[in-house]
Amino acid sequence: MKVRTVCGDIAPEELGFTLIHEHVIQDIMPVYRAAYDQGAVPPPEEFTDVKSDSYIDFILNELKLYKEAGGNSLCECSVYGLAGRPYEDLKKISEASGINIILGTGIFRNDLRPEEFAGKEENEIKELLDKSIDNGVEDSGVLPGFVKAAMNFLDKNGGFLQDEIDVFRACARISAKRDMPMQVHLSTRPFNADQIVELVEMAKSLGADPKRINLCHTDGVILKQASLAEHIRDRDIGFSIEPHKKILDTGVNLSFDGFGNVFTNTQEN
């Protein structure tokens, strides 16, 4: 078995200490602008752009600290809809820092999809993602080592959006056919354990190995309250181990990273 990094394939034992879910080339401003347009966040004081050279210098300094702390590898999860810098920069960053970078391919959010993915359904999405795996993401020549889907929103009936299911199914089929690892972003919304188990079972029905699937941000998605509004109001993270055990029983991996748990720091004693 080999691990595909942006600089070529390596053996698993060469990974060393690995951060499983990072964003080296992400530009968060499109996400912030979308939230601002929906009235969900206050306006930023200003939108700025960082020149490429200073951006790379900043990242290299951060990775130097990571290397000094014992880090050796990381998974770059800035897939289509998240990346704000050229994917080619990842090779420069990996070579200069000595950090193995494993790039993912997939789609983040419907409202942030690049034009080439707009309106595409499952088979078309799979075809485009297969192309990125064979030729490099955005035809950069930088080859990804895993696929990533993202479940962000619920429909009016409390179910997952069909567009996001299409991406999820496409990624699961690729994972099954190519034996590629798969990461799944779960936004910090009150998904219940049964819905997440349903996702895993769907992936398994498509041939994906649950041991190759990592569910991200799962410390923040299962809440005691019936709604996200109640969660925010009560400042209660509502953590319970039982729903997570139920999901783990499907054979998948869970990633706890604190993503979205902004209210824990403001909880009153």
Side-chain angles (χ1 to χ4, degrees):
M1 180 181 293
K2 295 289 186 180
V3 177
R4 174 151 292 175
T5 79
V6 298
C7 292
D9 292 348
I10 63 173
E13 53 267 27
E14 295 179 71
L15 282 173
F17 186 89
T18 304
L19 292 173
I20 197 66
H21 191 106
E22 296 300 316
H23 294 281
V24 176
I25 58 171
Q26 176 180 343
D27 180 2
I28 199 66
M29 293 316 298
V31 180
Y32 193 96
R33 287 189 183 97
Y36 172 63
D37 290 342
Q38 297 168 10
V41 296
E45 293 183 359
E46 62 181 51
F47 293 115
T48 59
D49 186 31
V50 179
K51 293 181 179 180
S52 181
D53 290 344
S54 59
Y55 146 79
I56 291 178
D57 289 343
F58 174 81
I59 292 299
L60 288 177
N61 185 63
E62 294 291 297
L63 292 183
K64 177 184 177 183
L65 298 175
Y66 176 48
K67 189 79 171 178
E68 290 173 351
N72 199 56
S73 306
L74 62 84
C75 292
E76 165 56 273
C77 295
S78 299
V79 296
Y80 289 107
L82 273 181
R85 300 292 172 184
Y87 284 100
E88 291 91 332
D89 284 353
L90 287 173
K91 279 190 174 182
K92 303 174 189 175
I93 293 168
S94 180
E95 290 170 349
S97 67
I99 297 293
N100 299 311
I101 297 178
I102 304 97
L103 173 63
T105 186
I107 301 173
F108 181 49
R109 272 176 30 183
N110 291 331
D111 56 340
L112 300 175
R113 281 190 187 191
E115 185 176 348
E116 64 185 295
F117 287 98
K120 297 293 191 295
E121 297 182 352
E122 179 183 336
N123 288 337
E124 296 170 299
I125 291 169
K126 181 180 180 298
E127 183 178 338
L128 287 169
L129 295 182
D130 275 325
K131 179 183 175 183
S132 73
I133 294 169
D134 293 331
N135 302 326
V137 180
E138 293 185 350
D139 293 322
S140 63
V142 181
L143 303 178
F146 65 93
V147 289
K148 177 188 172 185
M151 313 308 294
N152 292 284
F153 304 112
L154 299 174
D155 63 23
K156 61 182 180 181
N157 297 316
F160 293 115
L161 298 179
Q162 183 59 50
D163 286 346
E164 295 189 339
I165 288 294
D166 284 345
V167 175
F168 180 88
R169 288 178 58 88
C171 288
R173 288 168 58 193
I174 291 171
S175 178
K177 181 179 179 179
R178 297 176 180 261
D179 193 29
M180 290 187 78
M182 176 175 173
Q183 297 215 41
V184 183
H185 163 98
L186 294 167
S187 284
T188 51
R189 294 173 182 272
F191 297 140
N192 60 52
D194 289 337
Q195 287 175 304
I196 298 174
V197 167
E198 179 185 349
L199 279 177
V200 178
E201 294 301 329
M202 182 187 301
K204 290 165 68 173
S205 74
L206 295 168
D209 182 353
K211 296 191 296 295
R212 304 281 274 166
I213 298 174
N214 179 48
L215 302 181
C216 310
H217 321 317
T218 46
D219 49 335
V221 299
I222 301 175
L223 315 174
K224 287 192 302 187
Q225 294 87 339
S227 71
L228 182 61
E230 290 177 357
H231 168 64
I232 295 172
R233 182 197 66 203
D234 296 339
R235 302 291 197 268
D236 185 353
I237 192 57
F239 181 85
S240 170
I241 194 63
E242 292 306 317
H244 295 84
K245 288 172 63 177
K246 186 173 186 178
I247 299 168
L248 283 170
D249 285 342
T250 66
V252 295
N253 304 284
L254 302 186
S255 174
F256 284 22
D257 47 43
F259 174 78
N261 295 339
V262 296
F263 304 109
T264 55
N265 293 331
T266 59
Q267 185 172 356
E268 295 179 2
N269 293 325

